[in-house]
Amino acid sequence: MPMTPLTLYDSLTRATETFAPIDPADLRVYSCGPTVYNYAHVGNLRAYVFTDTLSRTLTWKAAAMGWGTLTHVINITDVGHLTSDADVGDDKMEAAARAANQDIWAIAKHYTEAFKQNLTDLNIRPPARFPLATDHIAEMIAFAEAIADRHCYRLPDGLYFDTSTVPDYGRLARSGDDAREGRIEAVAGKRHPQDFAIWRTSAPGENRQMEWDSPWGRGAPGWHLECSVMSKLYLGERFDIHTGGIDHREIHHPNEVAQNQAHCGCADTGANLWMHNNFLVQATGKMSKSAGDFLTLKTLVDRGFHPLAYRLMCLQAHYRSELDFSWDNLAAATTRLKRLAQTVAALRDRPPGPATGSADAYRAQLDAAISDDLATPRALPVLDAMLADKRIAAADRMAALADFDAVLGLDLANLTRAALRVRPAQATIDEADIAAALAERREARAAKDFRRSDAIRDRLIADGVEVMDGDPLGWDWRLA
Ligand code: AMP
Ligand code: ZN
């Protein structure tokens, strides 16, 4: 099937560009990973639903576009990210370890594993690598040494990058210099407000669990350094796409670009395209880990929501639009997902049927939507229409479903209604009790003993189970 060219929005040119891989045989994407001092919140996870949509799209289109394999890297930030992105404050990891009075390595390991489990639960395919910043200290020191003479200067608390030594510093950032400067707190001796530490020397008496010797004293690397180093190491000096949330567009990525330019001694930013997902916001503002008030995937599951309902909620919005988190929004996505699962279950049970129509037109529409800067909100109604098109034999619709699953990652071919029935953590009644009560109630109704049947229903309601007689989705109960 001929395919639509892929266009993607580039934060650097601020335009939608036709994607042309540097080496079509070897696509390379780097995504800034989580800082593992706490659980990822669902806002962070939106960033990885976005990268997964990108990576699935590149993979799905590869054969028709003549592309080879994709190498996707998501790093794990286990050192260096300060409590302010703008380069001041405490190391988030050290602060968390101190507050919990725990070994920092154990904290990093715990939250890294939790993050990987979140990705699995959301059907986000693992990248080729998850490199840890702390496994690359020697490479970071070598990178800093290579640029130190021409681009850096020493202050008592570390080695600083002089942002005036590279062309066009801060081109990625949207907020004007004034706004940026407002966020960047002064460090005595910095030549320019935007200059940033690439190595932080520990203060005398500072008690860090993670520190290493370097030419600039014992200390730890600056956060921005790790991504320049690991992207270059695993993907080369020039690779196709670099992703992150839009907060990274303001400071972290401009600083990576500056380091990359310093290292190559050229104007190349490192990546051909810089892509950024917009925020998940809640009534109180952007969801953020440091604000404390955040939702994890586990919070959603404990309330009885399936992780894939959250994935669908993300796909209903374009990745460059802000997305409001609300329980109603999630409940609506859940209903939509159940309806899809129901439709697929009915198709699966159908005889293959004589083929009169073809699903290819729907594949083409899926391609057109996803190739238009990953327009997932437009791809979803195409899926609905394809599944409902009775001119296409059931078996052909199931085959086309595989394409939609490949791109959207909703795993509809395998998702059962039973799996979608997530028990809220606080529910005490178990499924066997519910099944037994419902069987008893059916018997009572068959015998026209409505008093008994109502009494059973009332007992179930008292246990938080809503009996759903005549539900159009065919659900006999749900936990209210
Ligand atoms: P962090 O763990 O803070 O380093 O963030 C991991 C990823 O989540 C980064 O790409 C951030 O830009 C992104 N991110 C942080 N907060 C949000 C949010 N509320 N919505 C969407 N993405 C976010
Ligand atoms: Zn990064």
Side-chain angles (χ1 to χ4, degrees), residues 32-37 41 43-48 77 81 92 223 243-248 277-281 286-289:
C32 285
T35 310
V36 286
Y37 70 104
H41 57 63
N44 299 133
L45 296 174
R46 183 184 188 203
Y48 304 103
T77 298
H81 194 169
K92 291 185 181 194
W223 170 40
T243 78
I246 46 168
D247 47 339
H248 288 355
N277 64 277
N278 211 323
F279 286 138
L280 180 77
V281 295
K286 166 189 177 295
M287 199 172 285
S288 82
K289 275 187 248 186

Side-chain angles (χ1 to χ4, degrees), residues 38 282 288-295:
N38 205 333
Q282 49 191 358
S288 82
K289 275 187 248 186
S290 44
D293 164 31
F294 65 80
L295 300 169

Side-chain angles (χ1 to χ4, degrees), residues 30-33 75 77 223-224 226-227 242-243 248 252-253 256:
Y30 185 91
S31 300
C32 285
N75 69 295
T77 298
W223 170 40
H224 318 297
E226 65 173 89
C227 288
H242 193 129
T243 78
H248 288 355
H252 180 50
H253 288 171
E256 275 188 52

Side-chain angles (χ1 to χ4, degrees), residues 327-409:
W327 294 105
D328 284 351
N329 204 349
L330 187 58
T334 300
T335 304
R336 188 174 190 179
L337 189 60
K338 284 177 175 172
R339 211 165 259 146
L340 282 164
Q342 171 102 339
T343 307
V344 172
L347 267 189
R348 206 186 283 120
D349 296 341
R350 280 246 190 107
T356 52
S358 150
D360 281 349
Y362 293 106
R363 286 191 180 89
Q365 285 178 45
L366 165 66
D367 183 32
I370 208 72
S371 300
D372 181 7
D373 194 26
L374 313 178
T376 53
R378 268 173 42 212
L380 290 166
V382 179
L383 169 61
D384 293 331
M386 184 281 287
L387 290 173
D389 191 337
K390 297 201 169 59
R391 293 168 306 174
I392 306 168
D396 293 343
R397 280 183 268 168
M398 288 300 288
L401 179 67
D403 289 281
F404 285 85
D405 271 349
V407 175
L408 301 173

Side-chain angles (χ1 to χ4, degrees), residues 237-268:
E237 195 128 74
R238 219 172 147 61
F239 55 96
D240 294 300
I241 304 174
H242 193 129
T243 78
I246 46 168
D247 47 339
H248 288 355
R249 195 182 62 190
E250 304 305 311
I251 295 175
H252 180 50
H253 288 171
N255 291 352
E256 275 188 52
V257 167
Q259 294 167 154
N260 296 346
Q261 291 176 331
H263 197 269
C264 73
C266 66
D268 276 357

